Structure formats: C-alpha cells, structure tokens
Amino acid sequence: MKITYYPQNICCAQINLEIEDNKIVSTEFIGGCPGNHLGIASLVKGMEIDEVIKRLQGITCGDKTSSCPDQLAQCLIEYKTKIMA
C-alpha cells in the first residue's frame, strides 16, 4: 500500500511510504535535509511498523516539538489506526 503523509511543524513537506505485510518497503521525504532522510529511509527499510514507531516516536529537532523521524512515526500510527478501523 502506498501512503502520502503531510507532516506538521518540520522542514519536510511530504512523506511517501510503501508498506507491505506490515513492513516498510520504501520511504521518501520531500523537502528538508536530504542526507538525513536518505539515512532514515535506509534504516527503516524492511522494518516492522511497530518497531519503527517504537524507535522514532517522540524524537524532536532543535526547539521544534517534532522531527522528521517523529513525523514518520506519526504517519505510521495514523496508518495503523485507519487499517484497524
């Protein structure tokens, strides 16, 4: 399943995900810090959704209340809520 998520209060404008069998197949961040985003995408590839949420939820960036990793976790939480509804 392909997902497009519009994060809040961070530099990245959009997160595109592909999920299959409860695992991350691919992640693409639009805008923001390309090197960090490529690193995050590489690290979460093949990971179970719950593990990504556990590791990334709550991470902040500077004085912001969120971050790109946290917004990825929020996207996955929203996805889980929708598929379980």
Side-chain angles (χ1 to χ4, degrees), residues 53-72:
I53 293 168
K54 178 180 152 189
R55 291 180 183 216
L56 302 183
Q57 185 177 23
I59 293 174
T60 59
C61 183
D63 61 352
K64 297 177 182 177
T65 58
S66 191
S67 66
C68 293
D70 180 61
Q71 287 295 295
L72 176 56

Side-chain angles (χ1 to χ4, degrees), residues 21 27 44 46 54 68 73 81:
D21 297 326
T27 307
V44 301
K54 178 180 152 189
C68 293
T81 302

Side-chain angles (χ1 to χ4, degrees), residues 5-68:
Y5 182 76
Y6 298 97
Q8 302 295 313
N9 303 316
I10 61 171
C11 301
C12 173
Q14 182 177 323
I15 302 172
N16 299 318
L17 287 169
E18 187 173 352
I19 298 172
E20 198 172 285
D21 297 326
N22 205 38
K23 292 184 180 178
I24 306 292
V25 175
S26 66
T27 307
E28 176 188 30
F29 292 85
I30 308 298
C33 308
N36 288 332
H37 296 153
L38 290 171
I40 294 167
S42 179
L43 289 170
V44 301
K45 186 174 183 177
M47 222 184 233
E48 296 275 339
I49 290 172
D50 288 335
E51 185 64 21
V52 174
I53 293 168
K54 178 180 152 189
R55 291 180 183 216
L56 302 183
Q57 185 177 23
I59 293 174
T60 59
C61 183
D63 61 352
K64 297 177 182 177
T65 58
S66 191
S67 66
C68 293

